[in-house]
Amino acid sequence: MVEVRAGLGVVTVGVLAGEIGAAAWAPPPAVLLGAPALPLVLWIATGRRWRSLAWATVGVAALALGAGRMHPVTSPFLQAADVARLRLPLATVLEGRIVAAPERHPGRAVLVVEAEAVGRGAARRRVCGLVRLAVRHPARRWRYGERLRVETTLRAPHNFENPGRFDNVGYLARRGVRVTASAWRGGEVERLPGRTRSLRARLERWRDRLAAAMAAAVPPPEGAVLRALIVGDEEGIDADLREAFTRAGVVHVLSISGLHVGLVAVAGFALARWLLARSERLLLAADVERLASALSLGPVALYTALAGLGVATLRSAIMVTAAVLAGLLGRRADVLRTLALAALVLALAWPGTPLEIGFQLSFVSVGAIVYGMRRLAPGAPVGSWRARLGAAALVSPCALLGTAPLTAFHFHQVSLVGLVANPLTIPIFGSAVVVIGLVGAVAEPVLPGAAAVLFRLAGLVLRPGIALVRALARPAWAAVDVPIPSLLELALVYGLLAGLLALPRRGARVLAVLALAGLAADATWWTRERCCAERLRVTFLDVGQGDAAVLELPGGRVLVVDAGGFPGGDFDTGAAVVGPFLWSRKILRVDALAMTHAHPDHSGGLPYLLAHFRPREFWWTGVPGEGVEWERLAAALAASGTRVRVLAAGASLPALGDATEVLHPPADGGYASLNDSSLTLSVRAGATVVLLTGDIEARAEERLLLAPARLPAAVLKVPHHGSRTSSTPRFVDAVAPRVAVISVGADNRYRLPSAEVEARYRARGACTLRTDHCGAITVAADGARLEVRTTRSGCACPTATPRW
């Protein structure tokens, strides 16, 4: 029995490691089939004396099984008619059916559509495969199972290829989606006849009806939180409230998890036992307790489906099912074993699930609580008030310690107030409100009036809970931004925690010492990198159709120039791209934040950086922008209290010493457009010069050519994304760059960069790199040597030193 229990752990760890590893490196099928052979051959050859080789065989086989399950995700076999095999991007008409619960956000909806056909008239043809369709300002509430038609452009999904980036391509691939599309005007999406009437569709309609009933009975924000707690619909929770829950360390209460499923299981068991006990024949002929336990799984399965099949919900449902089955077999269910079983089932049933943030946080938090309480709980008699009080006091610290490295890795933030917030808020959000809301949900089909009363009562209970969360999240110290750890650093931290928890065993001492030594060496290296750097390091980030550059100067000073942005969208490049890169470089504060000009594709991410990186100075030209994006930036700048410098040619920059020089715009104005007013900076490290030009066009270039001796630069950020309105032959000759970087979005509608401009730089001998092809482009210079690295492989600079 001990070996069976140990085997479950070995197999689970092996499968999880195999899936995670295969996501980074997709091994060929021959490797997957042959991997278990070596330890198996050694085991057979050496006999029983080497039983550890048998476990090695099991572990390697589990590793290969996990990698094999990931193979259809990383290297899928696509049918000939699959939309992913079309020549993308493709402007066409898409017809299909919604096959997942729609994601609803303020101002937009995200639909997963099973494609049925593309094209019109004679060009129409049948296709298959999933498409992720983003509909902005939808004209109707789309529902699961409905069919639609939309004129759109099908595209292959892509990542912003920067250090610290989120793997959007992998995230979609794990859901079977390899094509994306968008509709900018929701009214143009046409509903077609033929709605599906499956059991899943009926459940989704019930879920929508419950959400609508809650919205009608309880106004926001309480109504939005109630919908999230009962049916998993987080549509109405605004960004500010979600941020408050995140900072307070209780954002997990907004998702349906173990407590909700446990309440449903207990209620189902109690109801089934009460009904069964009313039959004298059943009482005499059967074990009513066991029969009621089995019947309780029905409500659990129904609620799991109704709640949207989230990872935490599925984990809880599997653990409850395992516990019930163990009871039916007369065995005691161990929490850690049922946790391992749930992880194994989810990983095998839905390949790639271990890579999901929700999976990692859900399983690590439960594992940390259970293991930590077993190791640290006081030795009071089981069931006594001292034991219960001690165990309750340990729950929040264990969960925080277990998940803090992961929240730092995924969210670059650790909540300190969560130690207090969780014990205070979980009884409100996890018990009282859930019980009332679930009773209302059960009553709604037959007694809608009574359900509305219960929903309103739940809303009244939520009101002080939400106020408490806002109050706990308000202090600046409630949550702290932290550097993003690398995978090695993450492993060292968990190694240290595991070693400390397992003390005083000898192996635990060795593990703790090794992990601590590794962390100390890592901290020493980063301290030298941040404070004592001797070279200039410039990273041109991939922010799509926009600009963003991070300059790490000798001595540790940091300058950020622009931060990308998407006009009219809600995607924040500051939060999603520039910020994570800075945290991955262990940068918590920047010395200066510069905006070349107030176009949203350069300035859209700056408000986030102003709020989270506390720049000492903000540089700009004094030429304002317009619209919502400009108003947002102006408000963020006023709220930050950052010192503002309006720069013109010749301005002094004491914050960065004499390394940076302002070349443009001229103090007397004279620029014809916002582009031509762009701040142009020259940054020097020894004999190496980096020229940053914003979106200057031909007229501004002519002004710069009045002082040609200031223009030569080894590295040039090509003006205006490589547009034909910039990079005149005289300007390119005057700068004579060795490396020319074009910041541009993939498949952008402006068709930039111009092929003529690219050819002009290459003819001049410049190594021309594009962020849409190469991802983030990093150039390091010590005054004598130039080194270039790109995030994507396949980009090289023969004119620069290739090694890093």
Side-chain angles (χ1 to χ4, degrees), residues 79 81-84 86 92-99 112-120 123-131 145-150 154 179 190-196:
Q79 299 180 37
D82 198 291
V83 283
L86 298 173
T92 186
V93 174
L94 170 69
E95 295 179 19
R97 185 185 302 276
I98 301 171
V99 292
V112 176
V113 177
E114 174 67 49
E116 297 174 347
V118 293
R120 282 189 187 274
R124 185 179 183 274
R125 56 171 166 160
R126 304 288 296 180
V127 294
C128 61
L130 299 181
V131 178
E146 292 183 330
R147 297 180 63 243
L148 57 81
R149 179 190 292 129
V150 59
L154 303 179
V179 178
E190 177 186 356
R191 183 178 180 273
L192 299 177
R195 186 174 68 176
T196 185

Side-chain angles (χ1 to χ4, degrees), residues 10-211:
V10 170
V11 171
T12 300
V13 171
V15 169
L16 298 185
E19 292 196 5
I20 294 172
W25 173 66
V31 173
L32 299 178
L33 294 173
L38 180 59
L40 179 62
V41 169
L42 290 174
W43 177 39
I44 294 173
T46 53
R48 296 183 138 222
R49 293 172 302 163
W50 299 90
R51 298 187 65 180
S52 59
L53 287 173
W55 285 115
T57 302
V58 172
V60 174
L63 198 73
L65 175 62
R69 288 294 293 149
M70 277 296 289
H71 194 264
V73 177
T74 56
S75 305
F77 172 77
L78 300 177
Q79 299 180 37
D82 198 291
V83 283
R85 300 190 67 170
L86 298 173
R87 187 172 180 177
L88 304 177
L90 174 66
T92 186
V93 174
L94 170 69
E95 295 179 19
R97 185 185 302 276
I98 301 171
V99 292
E103 296 177 31
R104 300 184 179 94
H105 307 276
R108 67 186 179 97
V110 178
L111 314 175
V112 176
V113 177
E114 174 67 49
E116 297 174 347
V118 293
R120 282 189 187 274
R124 185 179 183 274
R125 56 171 166 160
R126 304 288 296 180
V127 294
C128 61
L130 299 181
V131 178
R132 182 184 184 272
L133 174 65
V135 181
R136 198 166 296 277
H137 306 299
R140 65 187 311 276
R141 187 179 176 90
W142 290 98
R143 302 179 188 278
Y144 175 92
E146 292 183 330
R147 297 180 63 243
L148 57 81
R149 179 190 292 129
V150 59
E151 188 168 347
T152 185
T153 298
L154 303 179
R155 302 178 186 275
H158 72 278
N159 293 325
F160 294 99
E161 291 294 349
N162 306 289
R165 60 101 165 111
F166 174 71
D167 182 15
N168 184 56
V169 174
Y171 174 83
L172 293 177
R174 293 192 293 273
R175 287 151 179 80
V177 177
R178 290 176 174 81
V179 178
T180 62
S182 60
W184 287 94
R185 291 179 290 276
E188 296 180 354
V189 185
E190 177 186 356
R191 183 178 180 273
L192 299 177
R195 186 174 68 176
T196 185
R197 301 188 181 279
S198 63
L199 175 61
R200 172 74 185 276
R202 291 189 178 94
L203 283 173
E204 289 295 338
R205 286 197 289 274
W206 183 22
R207 187 177 180 218
D208 278 346
R209 194 173 67 246
L210 286 173

Side-chain angles (χ1 to χ4, degrees), residues 738-763:
R738 292 170 60 190
V739 179
V741 176
I742 303 175
S743 185
V744 68
D747 301 325
N748 64 86
R749 56 180 175 151
Y750 308 104
R751 299 186 179 181
L752 295 176
S754 162
E756 176 186 342
V757 168
E758 275 194 277
R760 187 174 300 154
Y761 281 103
R762 290 197 172 99

Side-chain angles (χ1 to χ4, degrees), residues 432-698:
V433 171
V434 171
V435 170
I436 299 170
L438 286 177
V439 173
V442 172
E444 193 275 336
V446 291
L447 297 170
V453 172
L454 289 169
F455 292 152
R456 282 193 287 271
L457 177 59
L460 291 175
V461 177
L462 275 174
R463 189 170 300 169
I466 292 174
L468 177 62
V469 169
R470 291 190 191 275
L472 290 169
R474 194 169 295 123
W477 52 265
V480 293
D481 290 324
V482 295
I484 295 176
S486 65
L487 289 175
L488 174 61
E489 291 163 345
L490 198 64
L492 289 172
V493 170
Y494 275 117
L496 178 60
L497 290 175
L500 293 175
L501 276 176
L503 288 176
R505 299 174 186 172
R506 181 180 177 183
R509 292 199 299 270
V510 172
L511 178 61
V513 169
L514 290 176
L516 192 59
L519 288 171
D522 180 76
T524 301
W525 189 89
W526 275 112
T527 300
R528 182 178 180 277
E529 183 76 3
R530 289 272 52 85
C531 302
C532 310
E534 298 176 351
R535 61 181 181 174
L536 170 67
R537 176 188 170 107
V538 185
T539 303
F540 301 94
L541 296 176
D542 174 15
V543 290
Q545 188 60 31
D547 272 12
V550 176
L551 292 85
E552 301 171 54
L553 282 71
R557 293 165 298 177
V558 178
L559 167 65
V560 177
V561 180
D562 291 333
F566 288 86
D570 55 2
F571 181 81
D572 191 336
T573 50
V577 180
V578 185
F581 171 77
L582 292 171
W583 279 305
S584 73
R585 291 290 301 163
K586 315 306 189 227
I587 297 170
L588 298 177
R589 188 171 190 183
V590 301
D591 293 274
L593 186 60
M595 176 180 70
T596 58
H597 62 298
H599 276 154
D601 61 326
H602 293 248
S603 64
L606 294 176
Y608 184 87
L609 302 186
L610 283 165
H612 288 266
F613 289 90
R614 301 169 292 118
R616 292 180 171 86
E617 293 187 355
F618 180 82
W619 300 347
W620 72 308
T621 62
V623 182
E626 56 186 22
V628 175
E629 288 88 357
W630 170 251
E631 293 172 1
R632 177 169 163 259
L633 174 57
L637 188 57
S640 70
T642 301
R643 180 178 181 179
V644 178
R645 285 184 176 273
V646 178
L647 302 183
S652 62
L653 301 170
L656 299 182
D658 58 358
T660 305
E661 183 181 4
V662 181
L663 304 185
H664 187 80
D668 60 357
Y671 28 80
S673 65
L674 193 57
N675 281 342
D676 264 342
S677 74
S678 292
L679 184 65
T680 300
L681 300 173
S682 174
V683 182
R684 180 180 299 274
T688 302
V689 175
V690 177
L691 187 61
L692 306 169
T693 58
D695 277 358
I696 60 171
E697 298 182 294

Side-chain angles (χ1 to χ4, degrees), residues 247 414-418 420 472-480:
R247 286 181 55 78
V414 173
S415 173
L416 301 180
V417 80
V420 178
L472 290 169
R474 194 169 295 123
W477 52 265
V480 293

